Amino acid sequence: MKVKILKYKANKILNIHKYVDSWFWNKYSAYPYKGCQFGCEFCYNREARFRPYKDPEDFSKVITIKQNAAELLRDELSKVSIDLVAIGDYQPVERKNKISRKMLGVCLDLKFPVFILERSPLVLRDLDILEDINKRSCAIIAFSIITTPKSKNYSKLRFFEPKSPKVKKRFEAMRKISKKEILTGTVFMPILPYIFDDDENIEDVIKMTVANGGSFVVGGGLTLGRGYKKRYFDILERIDPLLVNKYKALYPTYNVYGPDPEYLGKIALKVTEICEKYQINDRIPRPIEFFPEKIKLNKKIAEIFFDKVYRMEIENKSVYRVWAYRKASWALDALEENVYDIYKESGLIGLDEIRDIGEFFSRQIEEEIKKLIRI
Ligand code: SF4
């Protein structure tokens, strides 16, 4: 199938997120292409607000290239503080255009750590730069993998990932990356209900990740946005019409995008349980080495709080408690003073005065400080 390529000069490339992403830890993101030749049917980039074209069919057939992405990135990164950048897009157009490679070169020059989430082993082409970034600051390369060839439903993968590189190739790339001592693993998202959510498939994905040197498996559910829900349901109809009603029950109208939270929690707990069995992380460990010494402890304790948010969410704990923890995590993450200095100087009262912390979280922070710096 012929792909139409459109090139243009963009005005801006760097997205600066208000809060750090507690799944992948990036504060920034920058991508050189719009549209994706891999054309996964569940891709949230199919949503109208991310699509550069009117016709949804164009998502994988018309690719827009931001020609000046690397120059813009250099300019924009030089104006912000060092933090993790989600970057890289290794769809087929990258082979010739090499814009992701140029953007990595910018991160290397400016000492920015990077996070890459890929389906393509083409990322191996840039392993030289990624190794250098990893030595200078940090690189994390995760692979999107939702099943393995051992799954009873593996043949159905072609309906959902029609043009993605083979799963085997992704695991081989993971192995090569792990040998370079770069943090790698699997982003097991989206776990497709009634297709790839069985215990055997979950266990195989985790087992294969471990076997290929991965250090984490992060599981997540399928969201069905308005922009692609109908397409997705049409595929279900083709595979097995009975699936349609099962999905309708799982994606109730009150929750437009995500599945029933109870189902989601059950699947996430299953991933956690099997990760524990194989002694692998069910979250991506937060890289903090590149932060200034002064705020490293804040970032570490924020990570612990973010982790609690995740655990509480999958256990369907009270929304109020989850939000209280989330706000405390954000506050700690944004704190510019060293939290230990505040504690040393003014004890719990000082911690209590930090925005969104209060008495309960002051005690939690005190506990973590004592554990982490053994006072
Ligand atoms: S590879 Fe990623 S960006 Fe491309 S279509 Fe699939 S999910 Fe979307």
Side-chain angles (χ1 to χ4, degrees):
M1 183 197 60
K2 192 117 178 72
V3 172
K4 189 170 168 190
I5 306 287
L6 303 174
K7 296 187 177 182
Y8 79 110
K9 285 203 168 181
N11 295 323
K12 190 178 167 301
I13 190 86
L14 191 68
N15 303 304
I16 303 175
H17 307 293
K18 188 169 178 195
Y19 303 111
V20 66
D21 178 316
S22 59
W23 288 81
F24 306 141
W25 302 118
N26 61 300
K27 173 80 178 161
Y28 310 120
S29 57
Y31 295 106
Y33 309 120
K34 283 186 188 172
C36 181
Q37 289 165 276
F38 293 139
C40 305
E41 293 295 345
F42 44 68
C43 182
Y44 69 85
N45 289 314
R46 287 184 176 279
E47 280 294 60
R49 66 197 153 112
F50 301 124
R51 255 188 347 237
Y53 326 104
K54 282 203 181 107
D55 183 353
E57 282 301 316
D58 283 346
F59 174 68
S60 61
K61 295 178 190 155
V62 183
I63 306 300
T64 304
I65 301 180
K66 300 170 196 171
Q67 272 181 302
N68 54 340
E71 293 77 19
L72 284 176
L73 186 67
R74 186 174 295 279
D75 180 51
E76 291 173 46
L77 282 184
S78 63
K79 294 175 186 151
V80 296
S81 59
I82 290 189
D83 211 323
L84 196 69
V85 191
I87 202 164
D89 184 338
Y90 289 86
Q91 57 177 301
V93 283
E94 168 62 17
R95 196 176 290 280
K96 186 173 156 213
N97 289 278
K98 298 188 179 153
I99 300 186
S100 290
R101 183 175 175 86
K102 287 181 204 149
M103 292 170 78
L104 285 182
V106 171
C107 292
L108 175 65
D109 289 350
L110 301 181
K111 298 192 176 71
F112 274 74
V114 300
F115 171 78
I116 294 179
L117 178 57
E118 254 316 308
R119 276 189 163 72
S120 170
L122 181 59
V123 65
L124 291 175
R125 184 200 63 193
D126 296 342
L127 207 45
D128 54 340
I129 303 186
L130 287 160
E131 270 189 275
D132 288 344
I133 291 178
N134 199 42
K135 280 182 202 141
R136 224 176 236 203
S137 54
C138 161
I140 304 173
I141 307 167
F143 287 89
S144 290
I145 297 172
I146 60 170
T147 186
T148 79
K150 276 182 76 182
S151 165
K152 61 178 191 275
N153 282 330
Y154 186 65
S155 62
K156 297 191 175 76
L157 185 64
R158 71 195 155 88
F159 289 101
F160 301 99
E161 292 188 8
K163 291 175 226 134
S164 288
K166 289 195 168 23
V167 170
K168 195 171 153 251
K169 295 273 177 209
R170 294 178 230 175
F171 277 125
E172 282 169 9
M174 188 186 291
R175 178 185 284 268
K176 288 183 183 151
I177 288 163
S178 75
K179 285 197 173 143
K180 300 289 181 189
E181 295 185 0
I182 294 175
L183 187 66
T184 183
T186 296
V187 169
F188 188 176
M189 291 182 197
I191 301 177
L192 304 185
Y194 308 118
I195 297 165
F196 294 130
D197 63 350
D198 52 291
D199 292 5
E200 293 74 26
N201 186 54
I202 295 175
E203 182 147 359
D204 280 340
V205 169
I206 295 171
K207 222 186 327 185
M208 289 285 285
T209 303
V210 174
N212 287 287
S215 301
F216 55 82
V217 175
V218 184
L222 169 73
T223 53
L224 283 175
R226 290 187 189 92
Y228 52 100
K229 195 169 183 173
K230 185 178 174 315
R231 291 177 67 95
Y232 191 91
F233 273 65
D234 287 348
I235 293 172
L236 294 179
E237 185 79 47
R238 271 160 54 209
I239 295 177
D240 176 1
L242 292 178
L243 282 172
V244 176
N245 282 342
K246 284 176 151 188
Y247 266 70
K248 279 185 178 159
L250 205 55
Y251 286 79
T253 44
Y254 70 84
N255 190 346
V256 180
Y257 294 102
D260 173 31
E262 218 172 286
Y263 164 84
L264 201 54
K266 218 175 87 197
I267 292 296
L269 285 170
K270 177 57 73 181
V271 173
T272 296
E273 187 192 305
I274 304 178
C275 279
E276 274 169 15
K277 178 175 162 189
Y278 286 90
Q279 298 184 324
I280 186 171
N281 296 302
D282 63 349
R283 309 281 289 151
I284 299 179
R286 184 178 199 175
I288 52 172
E289 315 77 46
F290 57 84
F291 285 117
E293 212 48 52
K294 192 176 153 195
I295 54 169
K296 275 186 184 160
L297 183 67
N298 306 3
K299 301 287 178 186
K300 185 69 212 160
I301 302 177
E303 179 190 5
I304 294 166
F305 281 16
F306 280 125
D307 191 61
K308 284 193 178 159
V309 170
Y310 174 71
R311 311 268 161 225
M312 286 192 294
E313 273 189 319
I314 65 176
E315 286 169 14
N316 281 305
K317 295 278 194 262
S318 114
V319 176
Y320 169 78
R321 281 198 65 202
V322 171
W323 269 100
Y325 260 99
R326 183 173 285 126
K327 285 166 88 175
S329 316
W330 286 340
L332 205 48
D333 203 61
L335 190 67
E336 287 172 4
E337 269 175 273
N338 179 308
V339 72
Y340 181 49
D341 287 347
I342 299 175
Y343 178 66
K344 261 192 313 191
E345 207 177 294
S346 331
L348 287 171
I349 294 172
L351 297 177
D352 193 352
E353 280 170 4
I354 304 170
R355 181 180 54 87
D356 289 329
I357 293 297
E359 199 186 321
F360 174 77
F361 289 108
S362 301
R363 292 195 187 283
Q364 300 283 306
I365 293 171
E366 180 184 48
E367 236 176 71
E368 298 304 337
I369 289 176
K370 285 183 177 167
K371 274 191 245 162
L372 290 165
I373 56 180
R374 298 181 195 287
I375 48 172

